[in-house]
Amino acid sequence: MDARVKPAHDTVETVTLVPIEKTALERYVAPDRPSLVGLSRAALADALGTVGVAERERKMRVQQLWNWIYLRGATSFDVMSSVSKELRAALDERFTLARPEVVVEQVSVDGTRKWLLRLPGEVPGERPHEVECVYIPDGERGTLCVSSQVGCTLNCSFCHTGTQRLVRNLIPGEIVGQVMVARDRLNDWVETTHKGEHKRQVTNIVMMGMGEPLYNPDNVRDALLIVADGEGIGISKRRITLSTSGVVPEIERAGSEIGCMLAVSLHAVRDELRNELVPLNRKYPIAQVLDACRNYPGASNSKRITFEYVMLKGVNDSIEDAKALVRLLKGIPAKINLIPFNPWPGSKYECSDWDQIEKFSEIVFNAGYASPVRTPRGRDILAACGQLKSTTEKLSARERLALRAMAMTDE
Ligand code: SF4
């Protein structure tokens, strides 16, 4: 099937800003009352040990907590009716179930939502950090674009965020927490979906938000294994895509330890150009990245690797580039996401003309690759983004997210 679509018109639509009841950030950061969100079963068992639960009981209690936290989305211990009152009180004294704090929520008329989330500083007293998380509904599918770091070090020249310094890696609770916040805001926990009030809203996860996930591999792995756990959040690994700029030594490990889908920010077919667009290419050139893809555990025709390719006018969008792309990917079970560039103030690039994108896409398609061109979504909330973030540095994040949000998976 030809999955190609026309780009959306440039109209700016109406924005709904939803008021958010503030949760106390202190509850999330208080070192004496850490959140249980993001803990694995083993870590939950340890947490139970600290409130005096005997070892022989822990497995059963962990199962109860797991169910309440990750399947039902409990936000307080009070609601855990299957847990004894005494244990609930003991847990409440030591722990919370807090997620990252939602500072602002923006809702687009096309259903796209964006949340600005506040995370604690690394050390007590440090200024809180902020990341964005974007939800893009599309028919039966709802994709959540999740961040892995605050800031990024990789300086991709088409990405405004690349100019931001890396602040810190997110911990598992902050990565899982983004998914839980989305489920909270969309009323997407099991009670609602099982009652048939509405279908599952968050069906797909893409690690394509702020940061390079394979520069934070352990925390991303731990978080995604929780997200994929069938007794909890339960998003299948086939519906979770990790997007990397090509951190070659970590690619195989991501496949074997997480087993999710892989996407690679390719964007160029020659090392000389990719060195400029994705400077990490100087360390891990195209041939090495593609070799790692060929060896990606589980890659097959039904589990294809996505190659993201941002369309830059006169830079990487020639017919020759398209032919070279097809040659380069020969033998790799691949699909190619063509992403119309979303220009930002001061950027030296322009988006390719639509005609050129179509010609490029045609060549890729005729070579047997699905080559969807993603329709920009949520343009209205991007336009109003200044209400979310005011500094230039922060504005840049929204541009990058806009770009990334267009590169969604097909599953
Ligand atoms: S595209 Fe991704 S890896 Fe490159 S600078 Fe932007 S956030 Fe970092």
Side-chain angles (χ1 to χ4, degrees), residues 6 12 32 48-49 54 56 113 118 152 165 169 174 176 194 209 222 229 305 309 317 353 362 394:
K6 291 280 182 192
V12 173
D32 54 332
L48 285 164
R56 62 178 188 285
R113 288 182 188 226
R118 188 169 291 165
C152 188
R165 72 188 177 93
N169 285 336
E174 293 165 338
V176 177
H194 273 195
D222 294 352
D229 190 292
I305 296 171
Y309 197 96
D317 65 347
D353 295 332
E362 197 75 36
K394 286 172 178 174

mmCIF file of all heavy atoms in Angstrom, residues 6 12 32 48-49 54 56 113 118 152 165 169 174 176 194 209 222 229 305 309 317 353 362 394:
data_model
loop_
_atom_site.group_PDB
_atom_site.id
_atom_site.type_symbol
_atom_site.label_atom_id
_atom_site.label_comp_id
_atom_site.label_asym_id
_atom_site.label_seq_id
_atom_site.Cartn_x
_atom_site.Cartn_y
_atom_site.Cartn_z
ATOM 1 N N LYS A 6 -0.214 13.559 1.744
ATOM 2 C CA LYS A 6 0.078 14.957 1.454
ATOM 3 C C LYS A 6 0.309 15.716 2.754
ATOM 4 O O LYS A 6 -0.272 15.391 3.778
ATOM 5 C CB LYS A 6 -1.127 15.586 0.744
ATOM 6 C CG LYS A 6 -1.328 15.049 -0.654
ATOM 7 C CD LYS A 6 -0.381 15.721 -1.610
ATOM 8 C CE LYS A 6 -0.605 15.220 -3.040
ATOM 9 N NZ LYS A 6 0.481 15.657 -3.915
ATOM 10 N N VAL A 12 -3.217 27.803 11.075
ATOM 11 C CA VAL A 12 -3.029 27.769 12.525
ATOM 12 C C VAL A 12 -4.402 27.594 13.147
ATOM 13 O O VAL A 12 -5.322 28.348 12.880
ATOM 14 C CB VAL A 12 -2.373 29.066 13.012
ATOM 15 C CG1 VAL A 12 -2.347 29.103 14.529
ATOM 16 C CG2 VAL A 12 -0.968 29.149 12.460
ATOM 17 N N ASP A 32 13.526 11.567 51.383
ATOM 18 C CA ASP A 32 13.066 10.590 52.368
ATOM 19 C C ASP A 32 11.773 9.913 51.913
ATOM 20 O O ASP A 32 11.342 8.941 52.501
ATOM 21 C CB ASP A 32 12.872 11.264 53.727
ATOM 22 C CG ASP A 32 11.960 12.472 53.606
ATOM 23 O OD1 ASP A 32 11.926 13.069 52.515
ATOM 24 O OD2 ASP A 32 11.276 12.797 54.595
ATOM 25 N N LEU A 48 9.677 -2.905 49.704
ATOM 26 C CA LEU A 48 8.790 -3.548 50.681
ATOM 27 C C LEU A 48 9.579 -4.024 51.904
ATOM 28 O O LEU A 48 9.102 -3.966 53.033
ATOM 29 C CB LEU A 48 8.053 -4.719 50.025
ATOM 30 C CG LEU A 48 6.914 -4.302 49.085
ATOM 31 C CD1 LEU A 48 6.499 -5.470 48.182
ATOM 32 C CD2 LEU A 48 5.702 -3.796 49.870
ATOM 33 N N GLY A 49 10.794 -4.499 51.631
ATOM 34 C CA GLY A 49 11.655 -4.926 52.740
ATOM 35 C C GLY A 49 11.909 -3.777 53.712
ATOM 36 O O GLY A 49 11.936 -3.973 54.936
ATOM 37 N N ALA A 54 7.963 -9.289 55.265
ATOM 38 C CA ALA A 54 8.822 -10.482 55.318
ATOM 39 C C ALA A 54 9.141 -10.967 53.907
ATOM 40 O O ALA A 54 8.320 -10.835 52.996
ATOM 41 C CB ALA A 54 8.108 -11.581 56.098
ATOM 42 N N ARG A 56 9.234 -13.855 52.512
ATOM 43 C CA ARG A 56 8.347 -14.855 51.888
ATOM 44 C C ARG A 56 7.064 -14.226 51.333
ATOM 45 O O ARG A 56 6.394 -14.786 50.477
ATOM 46 C CB ARG A 56 8.022 -15.976 52.890
ATOM 47 C CG ARG A 56 7.292 -15.495 54.101
ATOM 48 C CD ARG A 56 6.905 -16.598 55.086
ATOM 49 N NE ARG A 56 6.046 -16.043 56.110
ATOM 50 C CZ ARG A 56 6.456 -15.278 57.107
ATOM 51 N NH1 ARG A 56 7.737 -14.982 57.231
ATOM 52 N NH2 ARG A 56 5.600 -14.799 58.003
ATOM 53 N N ARG A 113 -1.505 16.345 21.784
ATOM 54 C CA ARG A 113 -1.343 17.002 23.085
ATOM 55 C C ARG A 113 0.123 17.113 23.411
ATOM 56 O O ARG A 113 0.909 16.226 23.086
ATOM 57 C CB ARG A 113 -1.988 16.175 24.202
ATOM 58 C CG ARG A 113 -3.470 16.201 24.159
ATOM 59 C CD ARG A 113 -4.001 15.404 25.318
ATOM 60 N NE ARG A 113 -5.440 15.275 25.164
ATOM 61 C CZ ARG A 113 -6.306 15.465 26.151
ATOM 62 N NH1 ARG A 113 -5.880 15.757 27.360
ATOM 63 N NH2 ARG A 113 -7.584 15.325 25.935
ATOM 64 N N ARG A 118 7.839 18.909 34.619
ATOM 65 C CA ARG A 118 8.924 19.399 35.472
ATOM 66 C C ARG A 118 9.535 18.232 36.240
ATOM 67 O O ARG A 118 8.821 17.416 36.827
ATOM 68 C CB ARG A 118 8.357 20.441 36.434
ATOM 69 C CG ARG A 118 9.427 21.137 37.224
ATOM 70 C CD ARG A 118 8.865 22.321 37.950
ATOM 71 N NE ARG A 118 8.485 23.378 37.024
ATOM 72 C CZ ARG A 118 7.698 24.405 37.356
ATOM 73 N NH1 ARG A 118 7.192 24.476 38.559
ATOM 74 N NH2 ARG A 118 7.415 25.326 36.469
ATOM 75 N N CYS A 152 20.790 17.772 25.039
ATOM 76 C CA CYS A 152 21.433 16.765 24.179
ATOM 77 C C CYS A 152 22.819 17.271 23.801
ATOM 78 O O CYS A 152 23.032 18.468 23.641
ATOM 79 C CB CYS A 152 20.601 16.540 22.918
ATOM 80 S SG CYS A 152 21.214 15.165 21.929
ATOM 81 N N ARG A 165 22.921 22.490 26.100
ATOM 82 C CA ARG A 165 23.869 21.628 26.798
ATOM 83 C C ARG A 165 23.101 20.459 27.414
ATOM 84 O O ARG A 165 21.895 20.582 27.696
ATOM 85 C CB ARG A 165 24.631 22.414 27.864
ATOM 86 C CG ARG A 165 23.809 22.775 29.045
ATOM 87 C CD ARG A 165 24.537 23.717 29.996
ATOM 88 N NE ARG A 165 23.626 24.072 31.072
ATOM 89 C CZ ARG A 165 23.550 23.433 32.222
ATOM 90 N NH1 ARG A 165 24.351 22.416 32.470
ATOM 91 N NH2 ARG A 165 22.683 23.793 33.135
ATOM 92 N N ASN A 169 20.819 12.850 32.502
ATOM 93 C CA ASN A 169 20.038 11.708 32.030
ATOM 94 C C ASN A 169 18.772 11.585 32.860
ATOM 95 O O ASN A 169 18.792 11.859 34.068
ATOM 96 C CB ASN A 169 20.838 10.412 32.200
ATOM 97 C CG ASN A 169 21.933 10.284 31.171
ATOM 98 O OD1 ASN A 169 21.863 10.870 30.087
ATOM 99 N ND2 ASN A 169 22.964 9.522 31.501
ATOM 100 N N GLU A 174 11.380 8.693 35.594
ATOM 101 C CA GLU A 174 11.031 9.882 34.815
ATOM 102 C C GLU A 174 10.669 9.521 33.374
ATOM 103 O O GLU A 174 9.929 10.249 32.713
ATOM 104 C CB GLU A 174 12.192 10.878 34.846
ATOM 105 C CG GLU A 174 12.408 11.432 36.241
ATOM 106 C CD GLU A 174 13.748 12.128 36.411
ATOM 107 O OE1 GLU A 174 14.680 11.859 35.633
ATOM 108 O OE2 GLU A 174 13.873 12.926 37.356
ATOM 109 N N VAL A 176 9.371 6.267 32.515
ATOM 110 C CA VAL A 176 8.078 5.596 32.688
ATOM 111 C C VAL A 176 7.026 6.640 33.086
ATOM 112 O O VAL A 176 5.874 6.599 32.652
ATOM 113 C CB VAL A 176 8.164 4.505 33.789
ATOM 114 C CG1 VAL A 176 6.805 3.865 34.022
ATOM 115 C CG2 VAL A 176 9.184 3.445 33.421
ATOM 116 N N HIS A 194 -11.214 -0.992 30.035
ATOM 117 C CA HIS A 194 -11.929 -2.262 30.150
ATOM 118 C C HIS A 194 -13.434 -2.088 30.220
ATOM 119 O O HIS A 194 -14.186 -2.935 29.805
ATOM 120 C CB HIS A 194 -11.422 -3.053 31.352
ATOM 121 C CG HIS A 194 -10.229 -3.886 30.990
ATOM 122 N ND1 HIS A 194 -9.755 -4.897 31.756
ATOM 123 C CD2 HIS A 194 -9.432 -3.834 29.908
ATOM 124 C CE1 HIS A 194 -8.695 -5.452 31.167
ATOM 125 N NE2 HIS A 194 -8.489 -4.805 30.056
ATOM 126 N N GLY A 209 12.017 11.841 21.748
ATOM 127 C CA GLY A 209 11.949 13.184 22.320
ATOM 128 C C GLY A 209 13.354 13.721 22.538
ATOM 129 O O GLY A 209 14.293 13.392 21.810
ATOM 130 N N ASP A 222 15.761 -0.103 31.440
ATOM 131 C CA ASP A 222 14.939 -0.444 32.608
ATOM 132 C C ASP A 222 13.527 0.124 32.458
ATOM 133 O O ASP A 222 12.535 -0.538 32.791
ATOM 134 C CB ASP A 222 15.585 0.089 33.893
ATOM 135 C CG ASP A 222 16.909 -0.634 34.180
ATOM 136 O OD1 ASP A 222 17.222 -1.618 33.474
ATOM 137 O OD2 ASP A 222 17.631 -0.199 35.104
ATOM 138 N N ASP A 229 5.955 -4.460 29.986
ATOM 139 C CA ASP A 229 5.515 -5.595 30.812
ATOM 140 C C ASP A 229 4.010 -5.830 30.638
ATOM 141 O O ASP A 229 3.193 -4.941 30.876
ATOM 142 C CB ASP A 229 5.842 -5.302 32.281
ATOM 143 C CG ASP A 229 5.645 -6.524 33.150
ATOM 144 O OD1 ASP A 229 4.469 -6.959 33.319
ATOM 145 O OD2 ASP A 229 6.641 -7.055 33.664
ATOM 146 N N ILE A 305 13.654 -2.045 10.400
ATOM 147 C CA ILE A 305 14.313 -0.894 11.019
ATOM 148 C C ILE A 305 13.878 0.360 10.259
ATOM 149 O O ILE A 305 13.837 0.362 9.026
ATOM 150 C CB ILE A 305 15.838 -1.068 10.968
ATOM 151 C CG1 ILE A 305 16.228 -2.291 11.807
ATOM 152 C CG2 ILE A 305 16.555 0.188 11.454
ATOM 153 C CD1 ILE A 305 17.674 -2.702 11.684
ATOM 154 N N TYR A 309 14.746 10.314 7.603
ATOM 155 C CA TYR A 309 15.480 11.099 6.618
ATOM 156 C C TYR A 309 14.775 12.443 6.500
ATOM 157 O O TYR A 309 13.667 12.551 5.956
ATOM 158 C CB TYR A 309 15.475 10.342 5.281
ATOM 159 C CG TYR A 309 16.508 10.806 4.278
ATOM 160 C CD1 TYR A 309 17.737 10.168 4.164
ATOM 161 C CD2 TYR A 309 16.252 11.896 3.449
ATOM 162 C CE1 TYR A 309 18.691 10.586 3.244
ATOM 163 C CE2 TYR A 309 17.198 12.324 2.519
ATOM 164 C CZ TYR A 309 18.421 11.659 2.419
ATOM 165 O OH TYR A 309 19.358 12.069 1.511
ATOM 166 N N ASP A 317 18.345 16.060 -0.926
ATOM 167 C CA ASP A 317 17.064 15.639 -1.504
ATOM 168 C C ASP A 317 17.115 15.390 -3.013
ATOM 169 O O ASP A 317 16.078 15.389 -3.669
ATOM 170 C CB ASP A 317 15.976 16.678 -1.177
ATOM 171 C CG ASP A 317 16.251 18.033 -1.835
ATOM 172 O OD1 ASP A 317 17.385 18.243 -2.330
ATOM 173 O OD2 ASP A 317 15.341 18.881 -1.838
ATOM 174 N N ASP A 353 11.083 21.185 -1.614
ATOM 175 C CA ASP A 353 9.789 21.424 -2.251
ATOM 176 C C ASP A 353 8.991 20.119 -2.264
ATOM 177 O O ASP A 353 9.577 19.029 -2.370
ATOM 178 C CB ASP A 353 9.993 21.902 -3.694
ATOM 179 C CG ASP A 353 10.689 23.255 -3.712
ATOM 180 O OD1 ASP A 353 10.529 24.018 -2.738
ATOM 181 O OD2 ASP A 353 11.419 23.522 -4.692
ATOM 182 N N GLU A 362 9.009 8.501 -4.503
ATOM 183 C CA GLU A 362 8.684 7.588 -5.603
ATOM 184 C C GLU A 362 9.810 6.572 -5.821
ATOM 185 O O GLU A 362 9.581 5.376 -5.978
ATOM 186 C CB GLU A 362 8.513 8.438 -6.878
ATOM 187 C CG GLU A 362 7.791 7.759 -8.019
ATOM 188 C CD GLU A 362 6.294 7.685 -7.764
ATOM 189 O OE1 GLU A 362 5.747 8.651 -7.177
ATOM 190 O OE2 GLU A 362 5.716 6.656 -8.105
ATOM 191 N N LYS A 394 14.481 27.238 25.156
ATOM 192 C CA LYS A 394 13.339 26.361 25.331
ATOM 193 C C LYS A 394 12.523 26.258 24.054
ATOM 194 O O LYS A 394 11.994 25.225 23.730
ATOM 195 C CB LYS A 394 12.486 26.860 26.486
ATOM 196 C CG LYS A 394 13.137 26.579 27.825
ATOM 197 C CD LYS A 394 12.392 27.238 28.927
ATOM 198 C CE LYS A 394 13.018 26.917 30.269
ATOM 199 N NZ LYS A 394 12.379 27.682 31.328
#
